[in-house]
Amino acid sequence: MWPIVEERRVESRPQAGQVGGSSRRGLEAGRAAAAAVSVGERPSPCDLGPSSAVQVPSSRSEMARGGMERWRDRLALVTGASGGIGAAVARALVQQGLKVVGCARTVGNIEELAAECKSAGYPGTLIPYRCDLSNEEDILSMFSAIRSQHSGVDICINNAGLARPDTLLSGSTSGWKDMFNVNVLALSICTREAYQSMKERNVDDGHIININSMSGHRVVPQSVAHFYSATKYAVTALTEGLRQELREAQTHIRATCISPGLVETQFAFKLHDKDPEKAAATYEHIKCLKPEDVAQAIIYVLSTPPHVQVSLALAVHPMEKPNHPQRRRAERP
């Protein structure tokens, strides 16, 4: 279950009257998870007033089915779609009838997934695209190809991320650069290009979703994860900054940050590439989230009505402790 807790500040439209209330009804995600989600009434572009929470609709499954209809046949970009969360998100969007450009440095897995989706009769289409996200020219070339072949991007899901076991005291500069280039710079470049794609086509209802991590909200006592955590803290700041800039631009394009806890993917095996036993043990101490759980969270976020903004979603197993500092600042500032 994904209980919903309105605990961060959220916006309302003073001219329409403030709406109070909160909801703890669960979003069915198929796995046990706990989430802290910032949900707010979608502000008018010029609203700079204080905030209050809004009541979340009672039947999320029904809302998801209806809310996703507006995305049918529109285009979503999913970075890092060759496996794990990215592959699960790409599949879920194709099932909802979207055209999905899935990119990664190697596209063999994406091509296989595209064939699976087609043979399964899903209404959408998965389009594999080879892109090295650490190279800005590759990213710009990808957006140019999307513009010429598919008009442009309506949804941008910045999922790609990597970790290197480079500590702060003895790590390699190259490892730090690898993480920064993909986790921070590539995300920022894709965000900028996606926004420009929406703006030039007068798309005012687009959505930019950053797949962050709980490591972007608390620092774990594991030295190999400290620089990675720093890049994820950057994603937290970038998403909030993006939300503010979108409001300043008087657009209704939305920005969301989803921060999963431990998800059972190949991530740990890439981090601990020289110690597969340690990598395997990472997923054994608790029942982890699955990539499909995160995909379902994204479907929920996309399916919300235009007046709702989900700014931050924290997704963890009940045994994990989010320890998010904003849990202690639930009151209005």
Short mmCIF file of all heavy atoms in Angstrom, two decimals, residues 4-31:
data_model
loop_
_atom_site.label_atom_id
_atom_site.label_comp_id
_atom_site.label_asym_id
_atom_site.label_seq_id
_atom_site.Cartn_x
_atom_site.Cartn_y
_atom_site.Cartn_z
N ILE A 4 -1.02 7.97 1.74
CA ILE A 4 -0.68 9.32 1.32
C ILE A 4 -0.74 10.25 2.54
O ILE A 4 -1.70 10.27 3.28
CB ILE A 4 -1.67 9.83 0.26
CG1 ILE A 4 -1.68 8.85 -0.93
CG2 ILE A 4 -1.33 11.23 -0.20
CD1 ILE A 4 -0.37 8.69 -1.60
N VAL A 5 0.32 11.02 2.72
CA VAL A 5 0.37 11.94 3.85
C VAL A 5 0.72 13.32 3.33
O VAL A 5 1.78 13.50 2.74
CB VAL A 5 1.43 11.51 4.89
CG1 VAL A 5 1.43 12.47 6.06
CG2 VAL A 5 1.18 10.08 5.34
N GLU A 6 -0.17 14.28 3.49
CA GLU A 6 0.15 15.66 3.11
C GLU A 6 0.97 16.27 4.24
O GLU A 6 0.42 16.62 5.28
CB GLU A 6 -1.13 16.48 2.89
CG GLU A 6 -1.85 16.12 1.61
CD GLU A 6 -2.72 14.90 1.78
OE1 GLU A 6 -2.94 14.46 2.91
OE2 GLU A 6 -3.17 14.37 0.78
N GLU A 7 2.30 16.40 4.01
CA GLU A 7 3.13 16.87 5.12
C GLU A 7 4.04 18.01 4.74
O GLU A 7 4.67 18.60 5.60
CB GLU A 7 3.97 15.72 5.66
CG GLU A 7 4.90 15.14 4.64
CD GLU A 7 5.75 14.03 5.20
OE1 GLU A 7 5.43 13.57 6.30
OE2 GLU A 7 6.71 13.66 4.56
N ARG A 8 4.17 18.33 3.47
CA ARG A 8 4.96 19.49 3.08
C ARG A 8 4.01 20.61 2.74
O ARG A 8 2.83 20.43 2.56
CB ARG A 8 5.83 19.18 1.86
CG ARG A 8 6.96 18.21 2.14
CD ARG A 8 7.85 18.09 0.93
NE ARG A 8 8.49 19.35 0.61
CZ ARG A 8 8.91 19.66 -0.60
NH1 ARG A 8 8.74 18.87 -1.61
NH2 ARG A 8 9.51 20.82 -0.82
N ARG A 9 4.60 21.80 2.54
CA ARG A 9 3.75 22.91 2.16
C ARG A 9 3.26 22.68 0.74
O ARG A 9 3.97 22.17 -0.11
CB ARG A 9 4.51 24.24 2.26
CG ARG A 9 5.68 24.36 1.28
CD ARG A 9 6.31 25.73 1.40
NE ARG A 9 7.40 25.89 0.46
CZ ARG A 9 7.24 26.22 -0.80
NH1 ARG A 9 6.05 26.40 -1.30
NH2 ARG A 9 8.29 26.35 -1.60
N VAL A 10 2.03 23.10 0.47
CA VAL A 10 1.44 22.96 -0.85
C VAL A 10 0.68 24.23 -1.17
O VAL A 10 0.33 25.01 -0.29
CB VAL A 10 0.48 21.75 -0.92
CG1 VAL A 10 1.25 20.45 -0.80
CG2 VAL A 10 -0.57 21.83 0.17
N GLU A 11 0.43 24.47 -2.44
CA GLU A 11 -0.18 25.73 -2.82
C GLU A 11 -1.68 25.60 -2.96
O GLU A 11 -2.20 24.56 -3.28
CB GLU A 11 0.39 26.25 -4.16
CG GLU A 11 1.87 26.52 -4.11
CD GLU A 11 2.68 25.32 -4.49
OE1 GLU A 11 2.08 24.31 -4.90
OE2 GLU A 11 3.90 25.39 -4.39
N SER A 12 -2.35 26.72 -2.77
CA SER A 12 -3.76 26.80 -3.10
C SER A 12 -4.00 28.09 -3.86
O SER A 12 -3.14 28.94 -3.95
CB SER A 12 -4.61 26.80 -1.82
OG SER A 12 -4.31 27.96 -1.06
N ARG A 13 -5.20 28.21 -4.41
CA ARG A 13 -5.54 29.43 -5.12
C ARG A 13 -6.40 30.29 -4.21
O ARG A 13 -7.58 30.00 -4.00
CB ARG A 13 -6.31 29.11 -6.40
CG ARG A 13 -5.41 28.57 -7.49
CD ARG A 13 -6.17 28.15 -8.70
NE ARG A 13 -6.88 26.90 -8.45
CZ ARG A 13 -7.42 26.18 -9.42
NH1 ARG A 13 -7.36 26.56 -10.66
NH2 ARG A 13 -8.05 25.05 -9.14
N PRO A 14 -5.82 31.37 -3.62
CA PRO A 14 -6.59 32.18 -2.70
C PRO A 14 -7.87 32.70 -3.31
O PRO A 14 -8.88 32.81 -2.66
CB PRO A 14 -5.62 33.32 -2.33
CG PRO A 14 -4.26 32.76 -2.60
CD PRO A 14 -4.44 31.82 -3.74
N GLN A 15 -7.81 33.06 -4.61
CA GLN A 15 -8.99 33.62 -5.23
C GLN A 15 -10.12 32.61 -5.34
O GLN A 15 -11.27 32.95 -5.48
CB GLN A 15 -8.66 34.18 -6.63
CG GLN A 15 -8.26 33.12 -7.65
CD GLN A 15 -6.78 32.83 -7.63
OE1 GLN A 15 -6.14 33.00 -6.60
NE2 GLN A 15 -6.23 32.44 -8.76
N ALA A 16 -9.78 31.32 -5.27
CA ALA A 16 -10.83 30.31 -5.36
C ALA A 16 -11.22 29.80 -3.99
O ALA A 16 -12.11 28.99 -3.86
CB ALA A 16 -10.35 29.14 -6.23
N GLY A 17 -10.53 30.25 -2.96
CA GLY A 17 -10.81 29.79 -1.60
C GLY A 17 -9.90 28.63 -1.24
O GLY A 17 -9.60 27.78 -2.06
N GLN A 18 -9.48 28.59 0.00
CA GLN A 18 -8.61 27.52 0.42
C GLN A 18 -9.41 26.27 0.70
O GLN A 18 -10.53 26.32 1.19
CB GLN A 18 -7.85 27.93 1.68
CG GLN A 18 -6.82 29.02 1.40
CD GLN A 18 -6.00 29.34 2.62
OE1 GLN A 18 -6.39 29.01 3.73
NE2 GLN A 18 -4.87 29.98 2.42
N VAL A 19 -8.81 25.15 0.38
CA VAL A 19 -9.45 23.86 0.61
C VAL A 19 -8.62 23.11 1.62
O VAL A 19 -7.43 22.89 1.40
CB VAL A 19 -9.54 23.05 -0.70
CG1 VAL A 19 -10.28 21.76 -0.45
CG2 VAL A 19 -10.23 23.87 -1.77
N GLY A 20 -9.21 22.69 2.72
CA GLY A 20 -8.46 22.01 3.76
C GLY A 20 -8.70 20.52 3.72
O GLY A 20 -9.56 20.02 3.03
N GLY A 21 -7.89 19.80 4.50
CA GLY A 21 -8.11 18.36 4.63
C GLY A 21 -6.91 17.58 4.19
O GLY A 21 -5.98 18.09 3.60
N SER A 22 -6.93 16.30 4.50
CA SER A 22 -5.86 15.40 4.10
C SER A 22 -6.42 14.02 3.94
O SER A 22 -7.55 13.74 4.32
CB SER A 22 -4.73 15.41 5.13
OG SER A 22 -5.22 14.92 6.34
N SER A 23 -5.64 13.13 3.35
CA SER A 23 -6.13 11.78 3.10
C SER A 23 -5.04 10.77 3.36
O SER A 23 -3.89 11.01 3.07
CB SER A 23 -6.59 11.65 1.65
OG SER A 23 -6.90 10.30 1.37
N ARG A 24 -5.43 9.59 3.91
CA ARG A 24 -4.48 8.51 4.12
C ARG A 24 -4.96 7.26 3.42
O ARG A 24 -4.61 6.16 3.82
CB ARG A 24 -4.31 8.25 5.62
CG ARG A 24 -3.54 9.35 6.33
CD ARG A 24 -3.40 9.03 7.79
NE ARG A 24 -2.67 10.07 8.47
CZ ARG A 24 -1.36 10.09 8.65
NH1 ARG A 24 -0.63 9.11 8.18
NH2 ARG A 24 -0.78 11.07 9.30
N ARG A 25 -5.79 7.41 2.42
CA ARG A 25 -6.24 6.23 1.70
C ARG A 25 -5.10 5.70 0.85
O ARG A 25 -4.34 6.45 0.28
CB ARG A 25 -7.43 6.59 0.80
CG ARG A 25 -8.62 7.16 1.58
CD ARG A 25 -9.77 7.40 0.63
NE ARG A 25 -10.87 8.01 1.31
CZ ARG A 25 -11.08 9.32 1.38
NH1 ARG A 25 -10.22 10.13 0.81
NH2 ARG A 25 -12.10 9.81 2.02
N GLY A 26 -4.99 4.41 0.72
CA GLY A 26 -3.85 3.78 0.05
C GLY A 26 -3.98 3.78 -1.45
O GLY A 26 -5.05 3.67 -1.98
N LEU A 27 -2.86 3.94 -2.15
CA LEU A 27 -2.78 3.70 -3.59
C LEU A 27 -2.30 2.29 -3.78
O LEU A 27 -1.26 1.91 -3.29
CB LEU A 27 -1.78 4.66 -4.23
CG LEU A 27 -1.40 4.34 -5.68
CD1 LEU A 27 -2.63 4.45 -6.56
CD2 LEU A 27 -0.32 5.27 -6.16
N GLU A 28 -3.08 1.47 -4.50
CA GLU A 28 -2.72 0.07 -4.67
C GLU A 28 -1.53 -0.04 -5.60
O GLU A 28 -1.63 0.25 -6.77
CB GLU A 28 -3.91 -0.71 -5.23
CG GLU A 28 -5.09 -0.72 -4.27
CD GLU A 28 -6.26 -1.48 -4.84
OE1 GLU A 28 -6.14 -1.99 -5.98
OE2 GLU A 28 -7.29 -1.54 -4.17
N ALA A 29 -0.39 -0.46 -5.07
CA ALA A 29 0.82 -0.60 -5.86
C ALA A 29 1.28 -2.03 -5.92
O ALA A 29 2.29 -2.32 -6.54
CB ALA A 29 1.93 0.26 -5.26
N GLY A 30 0.54 -2.94 -5.31
CA GLY A 30 0.87 -4.35 -5.44
C GLY A 30 1.90 -4.85 -4.46
O GLY A 30 2.09 -6.03 -4.32
N ARG A 31 2.62 -3.91 -3.78
CA ARG A 31 3.60 -4.32 -2.79
C ARG A 31 3.42 -3.45 -1.57
O ARG A 31 2.91 -2.31 -1.65
CB ARG A 31 5.05 -4.15 -3.30
CG ARG A 31 5.40 -4.92 -4.56
CD ARG A 31 5.39 -6.40 -4.37
NE ARG A 31 6.03 -7.13 -5.39
CZ ARG A 31 5.60 -7.27 -6.63
NH1 ARG A 31 4.55 -6.62 -7.04
NH2 ARG A 31 6.25 -8.04 -7.48
#
